[in-house]
Amino acid sequence: MKTLIRTFIAVELDPSFREEIRQIQKKFSDFNLKFVNPEIVHITLKFLGDIEESKVKSLSAALDSLLCEPFDAKIEGIGVFPKLSNPKVLWLGAKGNFKALHDDVETVLKPFKFKEDERAFTAHATLARVKFLNKNQKNAFAGVLNELKDTKIGSIRVNKVLLKKSTLTPEGPIYETLHTVYLD
């Protein structure tokens, strides 16, 4: 029997950002949101979904051929997807060479025929998922968002990419690094 594991490719944030992420999330605590544990907030480059565990080795080898150079990135700005009038995801922005890194990941994974992303890639770290907001809450939520939109968390050196396994539990996902690719 084939064992399937839920996987994604990510860049981790600096652990020193966790307390600030916690403080940002606290400002949204009056709303019906499902927060991501600050310990595991990350930037997803590509969600792979369920893959056969036996493919981890060949995926890792493909990722080892990434050509993107290390780069500095700024973690700043707070926004929502898809739009403010109907927010579903609250995110922390990431500015840097993420588009090139994402495109590089897509290129090396082409032989595996993963589903192409339907939307244009936007580098971000998910802070929370919005469960429900009534009209009054949407206005208050927009107010908090506007107040925090220019938040600057800090800079990171993006010099590695991680192939992660995600195990979903009632308490939230548990992530395990299956492979690390060092950019050089």
Side-chain angles (χ1 to χ4, degrees):
M1 195 174 120
K2 295 177 180 166
T3 307
L4 293 179
I5 55 173
R6 182 180 166 92
T7 56
F8 62 94
I9 297 163
V11 169
E12 288 187 335
L13 298 182
D14 192 296
S16 68
F17 298 166
R18 292 178 184 153
E19 188 50 41
E20 200 154 349
I21 288 170
R22 222 174 251 110
Q23 294 308 315
I24 291 166
Q25 289 175 329
K26 215 177 262 179
K27 294 198 172 65
F28 289 94
S29 61
D30 291 346
F31 305 102
N32 193 1
L33 308 181
K34 181 164 179 37
F35 293 101
V36 176
N37 178 339
E39 306 285 316
I40 62 171
V41 169
H42 63 275
I43 298 163
T44 300
L45 294 170
K46 175 108 179 127
F47 179 73
L48 304 178
D50 291 331
I51 64 162
E52 289 174 25
E53 199 163 16
S54 60
K55 289 210 165 108
V56 169
K57 235 187 188 108
S58 53
L59 270 171
S60 298
L63 289 168
D64 283 338
S65 68
L66 287 171
L67 298 172
C68 191
E69 304 261 326
F71 60 92
D72 292 317
K74 286 184 169 41
I75 306 304
E76 61 184 41
I78 294 177
V80 295
F81 290 135
K83 56 189 176 202
L84 189 53
S85 60
N86 184 26
K88 297 289 179 210
V89 173
L90 175 68
W91 52 256
L92 186 56
K95 295 185 173 109
N97 205 18
F98 290 103
K99 173 87 172 88
L101 181 55
H102 168 266
D103 292 350
D104 198 9
V105 167
E106 289 284 7
T107 300
V108 301
L109 294 183
K110 255 205 188 6
F112 296 93
K113 297 183 175 21
F114 286 109
K115 193 169 171 255
E116 292 271 332
D117 294 331
E118 289 166 21
R119 292 186 281 280
F121 177 74
T122 304
H124 70 282
T126 299
L127 297 177
R129 301 207 179 280
V130 180
K131 290 181 173 182
F132 175 79
L133 298 173
N134 66 31
K135 193 172 185 214
N136 290 343
Q137 289 170 320
K138 278 185 185 173
N139 290 337
F141 180 87
V144 175
L145 193 64
N146 190 45
E147 184 187 307
L148 296 173
K149 72 177 190 294
D150 297 325
T151 297
K152 290 179 180 10
I153 302 285
S155 297
I156 58 171
R157 180 79 177 151
V158 178
N159 56 8
K160 62 185 178 184
V161 171
L162 306 166
L163 173 60
K164 305 282 274 184
K165 173 182 173 182
S166 170
T167 305
L168 301 178
T169 74
E171 294 77 39
I174 297 168
Y175 297 153
E176 177 189 336
T177 299
L178 300 175
H179 186 68
T180 303
V181 178
Y182 293 95
L183 306 174
D184 48 20

